[in-house]
Amino acid sequence: MRKILVPVDFSLGSINALEYAIEIANKVEADLRVVHVMTGKNYPVKIADHISKVTEATVEDCMDILLGEKRDRYRVPNGKIDYKVRTGNVVKEISNQAKYDDAMLIVVGTHGVSGFEDNWIGSNSYRLVSHCPCPVLTIRNEFKYDGIRRVILPIDISPGSRLKVP
C-alpha cells in the first residue's frame, strides 16, 4: 500500500497538516506515517490547546495522544497509521524516512514566516521541497481543512512540466 508521510513538531501548523494528510490518505487509500525528528536540542515536548490534553511528556507519549485523537478520522480499509521518532537533522531524517518508506507524498505544515532571518536560514519546509525524493505538499496554518474541492497545477509547455500532470 502507498504511504503518506507527515512530519509533526506538535505546532499548530503541523497538526493542521496532519488533518489534511488524513483526508488525503482516506481519498487515495494510503497508509499514514507521522514522523517527529529530535534535533538534539533538549526541550520539553508540549502538547498545547490544539490537542485535548496539555502535558509535558516524552515524544512517544505525545505521539500516542495525538494519534489516539486522530485515529477515528482515518478510515482506510486495512490501512495503517503509525509514527516514527528519528534523531538528527530534520530535512535529512525526513528525506531518509521518505526513501525508506517509498512514500508517495509528504504533507508538511509551514509557519509562513518571511523576513530577514528566513532568507539566511531558510525554512525546513522549503528545504524538504528541494531535497525530498517525492512530492511535498506544504500547508499553511491559516488554511483549515474544508474538503478538497479544487487542485491548481501550474504548468508550462515544457516536457518536464507536462510530465507532472498525470
Side-chain angles (χ1 to χ4, degrees):
M1 187 174 275
R2 300 176 294 179
K3 190 171 285 188
I4 296 175
L5 209 61
V6 187
V8 168
D9 63 0
F10 304 106
S11 67
L12 289 171
S14 68
I15 304 301
N16 189 42
L18 178 58
E19 298 282 336
Y20 271 89
I22 290 170
E23 295 304 323
I24 292 168
N26 286 339
K27 295 238 186 255
V28 300
E29 296 187 350
D31 287 340
L32 192 62
R33 173 158 289 159
V34 180
V35 178
H36 179 78
V37 179
M38 305 280 292
T39 59
K41 297 176 185 171
N42 292 327
Y43 60 91
V45 177
K46 292 186 178 183
I47 295 184
D49 296 336
H50 51 279
I51 301 176
S52 67
K53 298 176 184 175
V54 177
T55 185
E56 288 188 22
T58 67
V59 173
E60 289 80 7
D61 292 340
C62 294
M63 284 292 200
D64 288 336
I65 292 168
L66 178 61
L67 292 186
E69 291 190 0
K70 304 297 180 187
R71 196 173 305 274
D72 63 329
R73 295 194 50 228
Y74 179 72
R75 296 179 291 276
V76 175
N78 301 317
K80 188 169 91 173
I81 180 171
D82 63 2
Y83 68 87
K84 180 86 172 167
V85 178
R86 298 183 66 120
T87 303
N89 176 280
V90 173
V91 175
K92 283 183 183 178
E93 294 302 320
I94 293 170
S95 294
N96 288 342
Q97 189 67 46
K99 288 177 194 168
Y100 177 77
D101 289 339
D102 193 25
M104 66 174 278
L105 176 68
I106 297 174
V107 181
V108 62
T110 182
H111 48 70
V113 171
S114 61
F116 183 75
E117 181 181 319
D118 215 40
N119 288 334
W120 283 98
I121 297 171
S123 71
N124 286 326
S125 299
Y126 174 77
R127 287 188 289 245
L128 280 172
V129 170
S130 301
H131 293 96
C132 279
C134 62
V136 178
L137 175 62
T138 60
I139 306 291
R140 287 182 59 144
N141 189 42
E142 298 85 44
F143 296 100
K144 301 298 181 199
Y145 184 78
D146 188 26
I148 300 171
R149 293 183 300 277
R150 191 176 305 144
V151 175
I152 298 173
L153 180 65
I155 61 170
D156 58 24
I157 61 169
S158 68
S161 181
R162 290 190 315 239
L163 286 173
K164 295 175 185 171
V165 174

